[in-house]
């Protein structure tokens, strides 16, 4: 199952950035959302940021994913 993950940028950039979230860290493509700065939140799907998020929306998605993991366990 492919699910978008909320991730916070560790290093910003115009085309790529390094992001962390849900226990992982990875390089992501920013071409769909444009330049981002460290601390920005994005929704990452298949290695690419698809949407910018505010911290509250990122927390809501994260909590929902926690519930999904719990129900699958």
């Amino acid at each position: 199952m492919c699910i978008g993950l909320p991730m916070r940028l560790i290093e910003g950039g115009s085309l790529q950035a390094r992001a962390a979230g849900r226990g992982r860290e990875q390089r992501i493509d920013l071409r769909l959302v444009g330049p981002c700065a460290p601390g920005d939140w994005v929704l990452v799907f298949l290695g690419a940021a698809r949407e910018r998020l505010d911290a509250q929306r990122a927390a809501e998605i994260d909590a929902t994913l926690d519930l999904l993991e719990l129900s699958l366990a």
Side-chain angles (χ1 to χ4, degrees):
M1 173 174 14
C2 294
I3 296 178
L5 303 175
M7 300 187 91
R8 190 171 192 177
L9 298 186
I10 299 169
E11 293 175 356
S14 57
L15 297 178
Q16 289 190 350
R18 196 174 70 168
R22 303 214 41 93
R24 65 177 71 175
E25 188 178 306
Q26 68 183 67
R27 274 224 160 290
I28 59 169
D29 186 328
L30 295 176
R31 287 180 285 186
L32 294 175
V33 297
C36 294
D40 288 350
W41 284 94
V42 291
L43 186 64
V44 177
F45 181 76
L46 297 175
R50 304 296 173 123
E51 179 183 346
R52 290 175 187 260
L53 303 171
D54 61 30
Q56 180 180 348
R57 183 67 180 137
E60 290 169 354
I61 294 169
D62 211 26
T64 302
L65 291 172
D66 287 342
L67 289 173
L68 179 61
E69 281 182 0
L70 227 117
S71 70
L72 293 173

